[in-house]
Amino acid sequence: MKDLHIDGVWTDAGTHSDVLNPATGQVIEQVAEAGREEVDAAVRAARRAFDQGPWRQTTATERGELLRRTADLLVRDREELARTESLDTGKTLSEGRIDIDDVTNVFRYYADLAGKDAGRLVDAGSASVVSRIVHEPVGVCALIAPWNYPLLQMSWKVAPALAAGNTVVLKPSEVTPLTTIKLVALLEEAGTPPGVVNLLLGPGHVGAAMVEHPAVDLVSFTGGYATGEKIMTAAAKGVRRVALELGGKNPNVVFADADYDTALDYALMAAFVHSGQVCSAGARLIIQDEIHDRFVADLAARADRIRVGDGLDPATETGPLVSAQHRAKVEGYIQGAIEAGATLRAGGGRPEGAEYESGFFLRPTVFSDCTRDMAVVREEVFGPVVTVERFTDEAGAIALANDTEYGLAGAVWTSDASRAQRAAGALRHGTVWINDYHPYLPQAEWGGFGRSGIGRELGPSGLAEYQESKHVYQNIDPVPQHWFKG
Protein backbone atom coordinates (compact mmCIF):
# COMPACT_ATOMS: atom_id res chain seq x y z
CA MET A 1 0.00 0.00 0.00
CA LYS A 2 1.71 3.14 -1.24
CA ASP A 3 -0.03 5.89 0.71
CA LEU A 4 2.90 8.13 1.63
CA HIS A 5 3.88 10.75 -0.96
CA ILE A 6 7.49 11.92 -0.75
CA ASP A 7 9.33 13.92 -3.40
CA GLY A 8 6.76 13.06 -6.05
CA VAL A 9 6.76 9.30 -5.38
CA TRP A 10 4.03 7.21 -3.73
CA THR A 11 5.71 4.92 -1.25
CA ASP A 12 5.07 2.41 1.53
CA ALA A 13 6.44 2.06 5.05
CA GLY A 14 7.03 -0.89 7.34
CA THR A 15 4.10 -0.14 9.64
CA HIS A 16 0.41 -0.04 8.77
CA SER A 17 -2.81 0.86 10.57
CA ASP A 18 -6.52 0.22 10.09
CA VAL A 19 -9.01 2.92 9.14
CA LEU A 20 -12.46 2.18 10.56
CA ASN A 21 -15.99 3.09 9.53
CA PRO A 22 -17.45 4.65 12.73
CA ALA A 23 -20.95 3.50 11.80
CA THR A 24 -20.01 -0.18 11.68
CA GLY A 25 -16.66 -0.52 13.42
CA GLN A 26 -15.42 -2.36 10.33
CA VAL A 27 -12.08 -1.78 8.59
CA ILE A 28 -12.42 0.37 5.48
CA GLU A 29 -8.78 0.31 4.48
CA GLN A 30 -5.25 -0.19 5.73
CA VAL A 31 -2.77 2.64 5.29
CA ALA A 32 0.96 3.06 5.75
CA GLU A 33 2.40 4.80 8.82
CA ALA A 34 5.49 6.95 8.52
CA GLY A 35 8.48 6.69 10.80
CA ARG A 36 11.24 9.21 11.52
CA GLU A 37 13.06 8.19 8.34
CA GLU A 38 10.03 9.05 6.20
CA VAL A 39 9.49 12.31 8.10
CA ASP A 40 13.06 13.36 7.44
CA ALA A 41 12.82 12.39 3.77
CA ALA A 42 9.57 14.33 3.28
CA VAL A 43 10.83 17.49 4.98
CA ARG A 44 14.12 17.37 3.09
CA ALA A 45 12.24 16.92 -0.19
CA ALA A 46 10.14 19.98 0.61
CA ARG A 47 13.30 21.88 1.52
CA ARG A 48 14.99 21.03 -1.80
CA ALA A 49 11.88 21.88 -3.78
CA PHE A 50 11.68 25.26 -2.08
CA ASP A 51 15.37 26.14 -2.23
CA GLN A 52 16.37 24.64 -5.57
CA GLY A 53 13.37 23.43 -7.57
CA PRO A 54 11.33 25.11 -10.30
CA TRP A 55 8.55 25.92 -7.83
CA ARG A 56 10.56 28.87 -6.51
CA GLN A 57 10.44 30.50 -9.94
CA THR A 58 6.68 30.11 -10.44
CA THR A 59 4.62 33.26 -10.60
CA ALA A 60 1.59 33.89 -8.42
CA THR A 61 -0.54 33.62 -11.54
CA GLU A 62 0.86 30.14 -12.31
CA ARG A 63 0.23 29.01 -8.74
CA GLY A 64 -3.31 30.33 -8.95
CA GLU A 65 -3.88 28.35 -12.14
CA LEU A 66 -2.70 25.17 -10.39
CA LEU A 67 -5.16 25.75 -7.55
CA ARG A 68 -7.92 26.39 -10.08
CA ARG A 69 -7.17 23.11 -11.86
CA THR A 70 -7.32 21.36 -8.50
CA ALA A 71 -10.72 22.89 -7.83
CA ASP A 72 -11.96 21.56 -11.16
CA LEU A 73 -10.76 18.07 -10.22
CA LEU A 74 -12.55 18.33 -6.87
CA VAL A 75 -15.77 19.06 -8.76
CA ARG A 76 -15.15 16.07 -11.01
CA ASP A 77 -14.65 13.71 -8.05
CA ARG A 78 -17.20 15.32 -5.71
CA GLU A 79 -19.39 12.26 -5.17
CA GLU A 80 -16.49 9.88 -4.56
CA LEU A 81 -14.86 12.29 -2.11
CA ALA A 82 -18.12 12.95 -0.26
CA ARG A 83 -18.80 9.23 0.12
CA THR A 84 -15.26 8.61 1.37
CA GLU A 85 -15.56 11.46 3.87
CA SER A 86 -18.82 10.02 5.15
CA LEU A 87 -17.35 6.52 5.49
CA ASP A 88 -14.24 7.83 7.21
CA THR A 89 -15.77 10.33 9.66
CA GLY A 90 -19.30 9.01 10.15
CA LYS A 91 -20.96 12.25 9.04
CA THR A 92 -23.97 12.17 6.75
CA LEU A 93 -23.45 12.00 3.00
CA SER A 94 -25.20 15.35 2.61
CA GLU A 95 -22.68 16.91 5.04
CA GLY A 96 -19.88 15.27 3.07
CA ARG A 97 -21.11 16.87 -0.14
CA ILE A 98 -21.26 20.27 1.56
CA ASP A 99 -17.68 19.78 2.77
CA ILE A 100 -16.38 19.02 -0.72
CA ASP A 101 -18.16 22.06 -2.14
CA ASP A 102 -16.60 24.17 0.61
CA VAL A 103 -13.14 22.75 -0.14
CA THR A 104 -13.62 23.62 -3.81
CA ASN A 105 -14.60 27.18 -2.89
CA VAL A 106 -11.49 27.56 -0.70
CA PHE A 107 -9.21 26.50 -3.56
CA ARG A 108 -10.95 28.88 -5.94
CA TYR A 109 -10.75 31.75 -3.49
CA TYR A 110 -6.99 31.41 -3.05
CA ALA A 111 -6.54 30.82 -6.77
CA ASP A 112 -8.10 34.24 -7.32
CA LEU A 113 -6.25 35.89 -4.43
CA ALA A 114 -2.82 34.55 -5.36
CA GLY A 115 -2.09 37.05 -8.13
CA LYS A 116 -3.75 40.10 -6.62
CA ASP A 117 -1.17 41.05 -4.01
CA ALA A 118 1.59 43.01 -5.74
CA GLY A 119 2.87 44.54 -2.51
CA ARG A 120 2.80 48.28 -1.90
CA LEU A 121 4.91 51.35 -2.45
CA VAL A 122 6.12 53.34 0.54
CA ASP A 123 6.71 57.09 0.36
CA ALA A 124 10.36 57.50 1.35
CA GLY A 125 10.24 61.30 1.12
CA SER A 126 12.67 61.46 -1.81
CA ALA A 127 12.09 61.44 -5.56
CA SER A 128 15.28 59.42 -6.03
CA VAL A 129 14.15 56.54 -3.82
CA VAL A 130 11.78 53.70 -4.69
CA SER A 131 10.68 51.92 -1.51
CA ARG A 132 8.35 48.94 -1.69
CA ILE A 133 6.99 46.13 0.47
CA VAL A 134 6.85 42.72 -1.15
CA HIS A 135 5.56 39.41 0.17
CA GLU A 136 7.51 36.18 -0.14
CA PRO A 137 6.78 32.60 0.97
CA VAL A 138 7.85 31.48 4.44
CA GLY A 139 9.44 28.24 3.21
CA VAL A 140 8.67 24.68 4.31
CA CYS A 141 5.32 24.35 6.07
CA ALA A 142 4.18 21.43 8.23
CA LEU A 143 0.38 21.23 7.98
CA ILE A 144 -1.44 19.07 10.53
CA ALA A 145 -5.23 18.68 10.27
CA PRO A 146 -7.83 17.17 12.64
CA TRP A 147 -10.17 14.22 12.21
CA ASN A 148 -13.57 15.91 12.26
CA TYR A 149 -13.30 17.87 8.97
CA PRO A 150 -10.20 16.23 7.48
CA LEU A 151 -10.38 17.53 3.92
CA LEU A 152 -11.92 20.92 4.69
CA GLN A 153 -9.45 21.79 7.44
CA MET A 154 -6.53 20.66 5.30
CA SER A 155 -7.75 22.84 2.43
CA TRP A 156 -7.72 25.89 4.73
CA LYS A 157 -3.99 25.28 5.10
CA VAL A 158 -2.70 23.86 1.84
CA ALA A 159 -4.49 26.25 -0.53
CA PRO A 160 -3.05 29.49 0.94
CA ALA A 161 0.33 27.85 1.59
CA LEU A 162 0.69 26.92 -2.09
CA ALA A 163 -0.79 30.21 -3.28
CA ALA A 164 1.97 32.00 -1.36
CA GLY A 165 4.67 29.81 -2.95
CA ASN A 166 5.59 27.53 -0.04
CA THR A 167 6.30 23.82 -0.09
CA VAL A 168 4.36 21.63 2.31
CA VAL A 169 4.34 18.41 4.29
CA LEU A 170 0.81 17.29 5.13
CA LYS A 171 -0.32 15.06 7.97
CA PRO A 172 -4.02 14.29 8.41
CA SER A 173 -5.32 12.58 11.51
CA GLU A 174 -4.52 8.88 11.61
CA VAL A 175 -8.23 8.32 12.27
CA THR A 176 -9.48 9.95 9.04
CA PRO A 177 -6.70 10.06 6.40
CA LEU A 178 -8.46 8.85 3.26
CA THR A 179 -9.64 12.07 1.60
CA THR A 180 -6.29 13.78 2.20
CA ILE A 181 -4.60 10.94 0.31
CA LYS A 182 -7.00 11.64 -2.54
CA LEU A 183 -6.34 15.40 -2.37
CA VAL A 184 -2.59 14.87 -2.78
CA ALA A 185 -3.30 12.69 -5.82
CA LEU A 186 -5.44 15.48 -7.29
CA LEU A 187 -2.73 18.08 -6.64
CA GLU A 188 -0.27 15.81 -8.43
CA GLU A 189 -2.71 15.41 -11.33
CA ALA A 190 -3.11 19.18 -11.47
CA GLY A 191 0.63 19.54 -12.08
CA THR A 192 2.31 20.14 -8.72
CA PRO A 193 6.08 19.55 -9.13
CA PRO A 194 7.79 16.79 -7.10
CA GLY A 195 8.63 17.75 -3.53
CA VAL A 196 6.18 20.64 -3.34
CA VAL A 197 3.43 18.58 -1.68
CA ASN A 198 4.46 15.68 0.53
CA LEU A 199 2.16 13.42 2.55
CA LEU A 200 2.87 11.61 5.81
CA LEU A 201 0.43 9.38 7.71
CA GLY A 202 0.46 8.15 11.28
CA PRO A 203 -0.30 9.03 14.89
CA GLY A 204 0.94 11.88 17.06
CA HIS A 205 4.61 10.96 17.06
CA VAL A 206 4.73 11.59 13.30
CA GLY A 207 3.41 15.11 13.79
CA ALA A 208 5.85 15.66 16.66
CA ALA A 209 8.77 14.65 14.43
CA MET A 210 7.57 17.09 11.76
CA VAL A 211 7.35 19.93 14.28
CA GLU A 212 10.79 19.19 15.69
CA HIS A 213 12.50 18.99 12.30
CA PRO A 214 14.92 21.93 11.95
CA ALA A 215 14.17 22.36 8.23
CA VAL A 216 10.51 23.26 8.92
CA ASP A 217 9.86 27.00 8.88
CA LEU A 218 6.18 27.09 9.89
CA VAL A 219 3.73 24.76 11.62
CA SER A 220 -0.02 25.07 11.12
CA PHE A 221 -2.05 22.85 13.44
CA THR A 222 -5.75 22.40 14.15
CA GLY A 223 -6.59 20.26 17.14
CA GLY A 224 -6.52 20.16 20.94
CA TYR A 225 -5.17 22.79 23.31
CA ALA A 226 -2.64 20.50 25.03
CA THR A 227 -1.07 19.49 21.71
CA GLY A 228 -1.04 23.13 20.62
CA GLU A 229 0.98 24.06 23.70
CA LYS A 230 3.51 21.34 22.92
CA ILE A 231 3.82 22.56 19.32
CA MET A 232 4.48 26.13 20.46
CA THR A 233 7.16 24.88 22.84
CA ALA A 234 8.85 22.78 20.15
CA ALA A 235 8.64 25.55 17.55
CA ALA A 236 10.32 27.99 19.93
CA LYS A 237 13.57 26.14 19.24
CA GLY A 238 14.74 27.88 16.10
CA VAL A 239 12.00 30.50 16.48
CA ARG A 240 9.71 28.91 13.88
CA ARG A 241 6.31 30.38 13.11
CA VAL A 242 3.11 28.72 14.29
CA ALA A 243 -0.58 29.04 13.42
CA LEU A 244 -2.88 27.23 15.84
CA GLU A 245 -6.64 26.64 15.94
CA LEU A 246 -7.36 24.86 19.21
CA GLY A 247 -11.13 24.56 19.48
CA GLY A 248 -13.69 26.35 21.58
CA LYS A 249 -16.48 26.26 24.14
CA ASN A 250 -18.95 28.33 22.23
CA PRO A 251 -21.90 30.29 23.66
CA ASN A 252 -25.24 30.45 21.86
CA VAL A 253 -27.18 33.29 23.52
CA VAL A 254 -30.96 33.46 23.04
CA PHE A 255 -32.84 36.57 24.20
CA ALA A 256 -36.56 36.40 24.91
CA ASP A 257 -37.37 38.67 21.95
CA ALA A 258 -35.75 36.32 19.41
CA ASP A 259 -37.84 34.49 16.82
CA TYR A 260 -38.56 31.48 19.02
CA ASP A 261 -39.01 28.72 16.46
CA THR A 262 -36.01 29.77 14.39
CA ALA A 263 -33.73 30.07 17.42
CA LEU A 264 -34.84 26.63 18.61
CA ASP A 265 -34.22 25.04 15.23
CA TYR A 266 -30.75 26.57 14.95
CA ALA A 267 -29.89 25.63 18.54
CA LEU A 268 -30.38 21.98 17.60
CA MET A 269 -28.25 22.38 14.47
CA ALA A 270 -25.55 24.32 16.34
CA ALA A 271 -25.17 21.58 18.94
CA PHE A 272 -25.79 18.36 17.05
CA VAL A 273 -24.59 18.67 13.45
CA HIS A 274 -21.86 16.03 12.91
CA SER A 275 -22.78 14.75 16.40
CA GLY A 276 -21.30 17.87 17.95
CA GLN A 277 -17.80 17.03 16.70
CA VAL A 278 -17.27 20.59 15.53
CA CYS A 279 -14.83 23.11 17.00
CA SER A 280 -17.44 25.87 16.71
CA ALA A 281 -20.38 23.79 18.01
CA GLY A 282 -22.96 25.75 20.01
CA ALA A 283 -22.44 23.53 23.02
CA ARG A 284 -23.30 26.24 25.61
CA LEU A 285 -26.89 27.37 25.23
CA ILE A 286 -27.56 30.52 27.29
CA ILE A 287 -31.27 31.38 27.49
CA GLN A 288 -33.12 34.35 28.98
CA ASP A 289 -35.36 33.60 31.98
CA GLU A 290 -38.67 34.45 30.29
CA ILE A 291 -38.40 31.64 27.73
CA HIS A 292 -35.97 29.30 29.50
CA ASP A 293 -38.34 26.58 30.70
CA ARG A 294 -40.33 26.34 27.47
CA PHE A 295 -37.19 26.43 25.34
CA VAL A 296 -35.49 23.63 27.29
CA ALA A 297 -38.57 21.42 27.13
CA ASP A 298 -38.95 21.91 23.39
CA LEU A 299 -35.21 21.46 22.80
CA ALA A 300 -35.17 18.17 24.70
CA ALA A 301 -38.24 16.86 22.88
CA ARG A 302 -36.77 17.73 19.50
CA ALA A 303 -33.36 16.26 20.43
CA ASP A 304 -34.99 12.95 21.30
CA ARG A 305 -36.49 12.80 17.81
CA ILE A 306 -33.19 13.29 15.95
CA ARG A 307 -32.57 10.26 13.73
CA VAL A 308 -29.15 8.78 14.55
CA GLY A 309 -27.67 6.32 12.08
CA ASP A 310 -25.19 5.42 9.36
CA GLY A 311 -24.16 8.52 7.45
CA LEU A 312 -24.82 6.81 4.13
CA ASP A 313 -28.46 6.19 5.04
CA PRO A 314 -30.54 9.05 3.55
CA ALA A 315 -32.82 8.98 6.62
CA THR A 316 -29.95 9.70 9.01
CA GLU A 317 -29.84 13.19 10.52
CA THR A 318 -26.63 12.78 12.51
CA GLY A 319 -24.06 10.01 12.53
CA PRO A 320 -21.82 8.21 15.03
CA LEU A 321 -18.85 9.53 16.93
CA VAL A 322 -15.52 8.98 15.25
CA SER A 323 -14.18 6.16 17.46
CA ALA A 324 -14.93 4.01 20.47
CA GLN A 325 -12.27 5.89 22.44
CA HIS A 326 -13.81 9.25 21.69
CA ARG A 327 -17.29 8.03 22.58
CA ALA A 328 -15.97 6.80 25.92
CA LYS A 329 -14.49 10.25 26.57
CA VAL A 330 -17.81 11.96 25.83
CA GLU A 331 -19.67 9.44 28.01
CA GLY A 332 -17.30 10.36 30.83
CA TYR A 333 -18.40 13.99 30.56
CA ILE A 334 -22.06 12.93 30.61
CA GLN A 335 -21.59 10.85 33.75
CA GLY A 336 -19.61 13.67 35.35
CA ALA A 337 -22.39 16.17 34.61
CA ILE A 338 -24.99 13.93 36.25
CA GLU A 339 -22.79 13.51 39.32
CA ALA A 340 -22.24 17.28 39.48
CA GLY A 341 -25.98 17.93 39.66
CA ALA A 342 -26.97 18.83 36.08
CA THR A 343 -30.43 17.67 35.04
CA LEU A 344 -30.47 15.23 32.12
CA ARG A 345 -33.33 16.29 29.83
CA ALA A 346 -32.60 14.18 26.72
CA GLY A 347 -30.25 11.45 25.56
CA GLY A 348 -27.38 10.55 27.82
CA GLY A 349 -26.78 7.06 26.44
CA ARG A 350 -26.36 4.90 23.39
CA PRO A 351 -29.28 4.24 21.05
CA GLU A 352 -30.81 0.79 21.24
CA GLY A 353 -31.16 -1.62 18.33
CA ALA A 354 -29.14 -4.09 16.33
CA GLU A 355 -28.14 -1.45 13.78
CA TYR A 356 -26.26 0.47 16.49
CA GLU A 357 -24.37 -2.36 18.17
CA SER A 358 -21.17 -2.24 16.11
CA GLY A 359 -20.86 1.51 15.56
CA PHE A 360 -19.86 4.31 17.88
CA PHE A 361 -23.27 5.93 18.35
CA LEU A 362 -24.45 8.23 21.12
CA ARG A 363 -27.83 9.92 21.47
CA PRO A 364 -28.06 13.73 21.34
CA THR A 365 -27.90 14.87 24.96
CA VAL A 366 -29.36 17.94 26.70
CA PHE A 367 -28.50 19.10 30.22
CA SER A 368 -30.26 21.90 32.11
CA ASP A 369 -29.56 23.40 35.56
CA CYS A 370 -25.92 23.76 34.58
CA THR A 371 -23.41 25.92 36.44
CA ARG A 372 -20.03 27.32 35.48
CA ASP A 373 -18.12 25.05 37.86
CA MET A 374 -19.12 21.90 35.93
CA ALA A 375 -16.52 20.33 33.65
CA VAL A 376 -19.18 19.71 30.99
CA VAL A 377 -19.71 23.50 30.84
CA ARG A 378 -16.05 24.57 31.05
CA GLU A 379 -14.31 22.00 28.85
CA GLU A 380 -14.66 21.14 25.17
CA VAL A 381 -16.66 17.89 25.12
CA PHE A 382 -16.63 17.58 21.31
CA GLY A 383 -19.70 15.41 21.16
CA PRO A 384 -23.52 15.57 20.96
CA VAL A 385 -23.92 17.30 24.32
CA VAL A 386 -25.45 20.74 24.94
CA THR A 387 -25.59 22.44 28.33
CA VAL A 388 -28.17 25.10 29.20
CA GLU A 389 -27.51 28.13 31.39
CA ARG A 390 -29.94 30.98 32.09
CA PHE A 391 -29.66 34.76 32.38
CA THR A 392 -31.80 37.70 33.39
CA ASP A 393 -30.45 40.69 31.49
CA GLU A 394 -28.04 41.65 28.72
CA ALA A 395 -25.11 42.24 31.04
CA GLY A 396 -25.59 38.81 32.57
CA ALA A 397 -25.74 37.18 29.15
CA ILE A 398 -22.45 38.76 28.06
CA ALA A 399 -20.76 37.87 31.34
CA LEU A 400 -21.76 34.21 30.97
CA ALA A 401 -20.81 34.07 27.29
CA ASN A 402 -17.35 35.47 27.96
CA ASP A 403 -16.74 33.35 31.07
CA THR A 404 -14.55 30.84 29.24
CA GLU A 405 -10.85 30.38 28.55
CA TYR A 406 -11.72 29.82 24.90
CA GLY A 407 -12.89 32.35 22.35
CA LEU A 408 -13.53 30.76 18.97
CA ALA A 409 -17.15 31.53 18.10
CA GLY A 410 -20.52 32.48 19.49
CA ALA A 411 -24.00 33.60 18.50
CA VAL A 412 -26.65 36.07 19.61
CA TRP A 413 -30.38 35.69 18.90
CA THR A 414 -32.51 38.83 19.26
CA SER A 415 -34.93 40.99 17.28
CA ASP A 416 -33.35 44.15 18.72
CA ALA A 417 -30.77 45.33 16.17
CA SER A 418 -29.04 47.64 18.65
CA ARG A 419 -28.74 44.89 21.24
CA ALA A 420 -27.39 42.54 18.58
CA GLN A 421 -24.59 44.94 17.71
CA ARG A 422 -23.79 45.70 21.36
CA ALA A 423 -23.58 42.00 22.18
CA ALA A 424 -21.50 41.18 19.10
CA GLY A 425 -19.06 43.92 20.07
CA ALA A 426 -18.84 42.73 23.66
CA LEU A 427 -18.28 39.04 22.93
CA ARG A 428 -14.61 38.04 23.03
CA HIS A 429 -14.82 35.44 20.29
CA GLY A 430 -13.25 35.31 16.84
CA THR A 431 -16.55 34.81 14.99
CA VAL A 432 -19.91 36.11 16.17
CA TRP A 433 -23.13 35.17 14.39
CA ILE A 434 -26.28 37.25 14.78
CA ASN A 435 -29.51 35.27 14.26
CA ASP A 436 -27.58 32.45 12.59
CA TYR A 437 -25.10 29.72 13.44
CA HIS A 438 -22.17 27.93 11.76
CA PRO A 439 -21.76 29.66 8.36
CA TYR A 440 -18.25 30.66 7.34
CA LEU A 441 -16.88 32.32 4.22
CA PRO A 442 -13.53 31.57 2.53
CA GLN A 443 -12.98 35.33 2.23
CA ALA A 444 -13.58 35.98 5.97
CA GLU A 445 -10.95 35.27 8.64
CA TRP A 446 -11.43 32.35 11.04
CA GLY A 447 -9.71 31.92 14.38
CA GLY A 448 -10.12 32.58 18.06
CA PHE A 449 -9.14 34.48 21.18
CA GLY A 450 -7.51 33.03 24.28
CA ARG A 451 -7.01 29.28 24.34
CA SER A 452 -8.70 28.94 20.97
CA GLY A 453 -5.39 29.60 19.28
CA ILE A 454 -3.11 32.04 17.54
CA GLY A 455 -3.24 33.34 13.98
CA ARG A 456 -6.05 33.27 11.44
CA GLU A 457 -7.13 30.98 8.62
CA LEU A 458 -9.14 32.00 5.55
CA GLY A 459 -9.47 35.49 4.13
CA PRO A 460 -6.46 37.66 3.24
CA SER A 461 -5.00 36.99 6.69
CA GLY A 462 -5.03 33.28 5.92
CA LEU A 463 -2.69 33.98 3.02
CA ALA A 464 -0.55 36.34 5.09
CA GLU A 465 0.13 33.55 7.62
CA TYR A 466 2.22 31.87 4.91
CA GLN A 467 4.10 34.98 3.78
CA GLU A 468 7.10 37.00 4.90
CA SER A 469 7.12 40.76 4.34
CA LYS A 470 10.25 42.24 2.83
CA HIS A 471 11.19 45.92 2.46
CA VAL A 472 13.10 46.70 -0.76
CA TYR A 473 14.68 50.18 -0.71
CA GLN A 474 16.28 51.41 -3.94
CA ASN A 475 18.22 54.64 -4.25
CA ILE A 476 17.99 55.44 -7.97
CA ASP A 477 20.51 58.26 -7.96
CA PRO A 478 22.92 57.85 -5.05
CA VAL A 479 25.42 60.62 -4.41
CA PRO A 480 28.42 60.63 -2.06
CA GLN A 481 27.53 61.70 1.46
CA HIS A 482 31.06 62.01 2.86
CA TRP A 483 30.18 60.44 6.13
CA PHE A 484 33.79 60.15 7.13
CA LYS A 485 36.70 62.52 6.48
CA GLY A 486 40.00 61.33 5.14
Side-chain angles (χ1 to χ4, degrees):
M1 55 194 71
K2 296 185 176 181
D3 302 310
L4 310 180
H5 192 66
I6 300 173
D7 205 11
V9 178
W10 291 96
T11 187
D12 195 1
T15 306
H16 306 99
S17 62
D18 294 336
V19 180
L20 304 183
N21 178 351
T24 65
Q26 300 302 307
V27 176
I28 307 170
E29 197 170 318
Q30 276 199 332
V31 297
E33 281 191 3
R36 283 197 170 270
E37 182 178 341
E38 287 80 21
V39 172
D40 183 62
V43 174
R44 290 184 181 278
R47 183 84 263 164
R48 285 193 302 272
F50 182 78
D51 292 338
Q52 305 166 19
W55 184 247
R56 190 67 181 271
Q57 280 69 52
T58 58
T59 65
T61 299
E62 290 170 331
R63 297 193 296 271
E65 290 171 351
L66 183 141
L67 295 182
R68 202 167 286 109
R69 290 194 297 272
T70 304
D72 292 341
L73 295 172
L74 286 163
V75 172
R76 182 196 70 187
D77 294 350
R78 175 180 184 259
E79 200 63 23
E80 176 194 346
L81 287 163
R83 182 179 175 82
T84 302
E85 199 78 325
S86 176
L87 282 169
D88 209 1
T89 66
K91 66 180 61 180
T92 65
L93 183 56
S94 61
E95 289 179 60
R97 292 187 181 114
I98 292 170
D99 285 359
I100 305 310
D101 292 343
D102 287 347
V103 171
T104 303
N105 290 336
V106 169
F107 271 87
R108 285 181 171 155
Y109 172 73
Y110 283 109
D112 292 341
L113 192 62
K116 290 183 178 178
D117 185 7
R120 74 179 193 274
L121 290 175
V122 178
D123 186 355
S126 170
S128 65
V129 172
V130 176
S131 181
R132 56 195 177 96
I133 305 299
V134 298
H135 298 123
E136 297 185 356
V138 172
V140 176
C141 303
L143 311 180
I144 305 174
W147 50 258
N148 59 331
Y149 287 86
L151 194 60
L152 183 61
Q153 293 286 336
M154 188 61 83
S155 76
W156 289 13
K157 302 175 188 301
V158 70
L162 295 179
N166 299 281
T167 59
V168 297
V169 182
L170 315 183
K171 194 197 90 66
S173 167
E174 69 276 17
V175 182
T176 55
L178 299 183
T179 50
T180 302
I181 296 172
K182 177 64 174 176
L183 175 63
V184 172
L186 295 182
L187 285 163
E188 183 180 46
E189 184 179 348
T192 308
V196 173
V197 176
N198 303 274
L199 174 64
L200 297 171
L201 305 177
H205 67 78
V206 177
M210 291 166 60
V211 173
E212 294 165 3
H213 200 293
V216 167
D217 300 301
L218 177 149
V219 179
S220 178
F221 168 80
T222 299
Y225 173 77
T227 303
E229 273 194 330
K230 293 177 182 177
I231 287 173
M232 285 195 74
T233 300
K237 186 174 182 179
V239 196
R240 276 90 52 73
R241 291 171 58 169
V242 295
L244 305 173
E245 201 265 73
L246 305 178
K249 193 65 179 177
N250 312 290
N252 188 13
V253 180
V254 183
F255 286 90
D257 66 349
D259 183 292
Y260 184 91
D261 291 333
T262 304
L264 176 64
D265 195 54
Y266 275 73
L268 289 157
M269 183 271 289
F272 300 129
V273 70
H274 195 14
S275 289
Q277 299 170 122
V278 184
C279 59
S280 56
R284 293 178 57 214
L285 191 55
I286 302 172
I287 307 174
Q288 197 160 21
D289 287 331
E290 292 93 315
I291 61 170
H292 174 275
D293 293 351
R294 177 190 172 199
F295 202 101
V296 171
D298 289 344
L299 181 80
R302 290 276 302 274
D304 273 337
R305 295 198 295 271
I306 292 174
R307 165 69 172 154
V308 179
D310 189 322
L312 295 179
D313 182 347
T316 293
E317 294 178 314
T318 193
L321 274 67
V322 75
S323 67
Q325 294 82 357
H326 185 61
R327 180 176 62 180
K329 177 183 174 182
V330 175
E331 288 174 327
Y333 276 107
I334 292 172
Q335 184 59 37
I338 293 170
E339 293 171 358
T343 301
L344 180 64
R345 303 296 295 266
R350 304 177 185 183
E352 297 179 353
E355 69 269 33
Y356 301 115
E357 290 178 357
S358 299
F360 313 129
F361 296 97
L362 193 62
R363 291 168 57 205
T365 299
V366 178
F367 281 109
S368 63
D369 303 312
C370 297
T371 57
R372 294 296 303 139
D373 59 334
M374 295 176 179
V376 73
V377 176
R378 295 194 321 271
E379 300 173 14
E380 188 177 34
V381 176
F382 222 67
V385 178
V386 62
T387 61
V388 182
E389 301 163 81
R390 62 193 304 160
F391 70 93
T392 302
D393 55 20
E394 184 177 324
I398 298 304
L400 274 176
N402 282 336
D403 187 13
T404 173
E405 294 177 313
Y406 292 95
L408 184 61
V412 177
W413 292 84
T414 178
S415 60
D416 185 330
S418 296
R419 172 188 282 159
Q421 290 301 318
R422 287 195 306 271
L427 290 178
R428 295 283 295 167
H429 299 271
T431 293
V432 177
W433 296 290
I434 298 174
N435 297 333
D436 209 328
Y437 209 98
H438 273 322
Y440 82 95
L441 301 171
Q443 60 269 34
E445 279 74 0
W446 178 268
F449 298 0
R451 289 195 174 199
S452 286
I454 182 171
R456 290 295 183 268
E457 295 187 295
L458 301 179
S461 298
L463 180 64
E465 291 286 349
Y466 296 94
Q467 294 176 320
E468 297 279 14
S469 295
K470 177 187 285 186
H471 180 201
V472 179
Y473 182 104
Q474 181 181 6
N475 191 337
I476 298 172
D477 188 24
V479 295
Q481 294 294 312
H482 304 295
W483 292 104
F484 302 104
K485 297 178 181 178

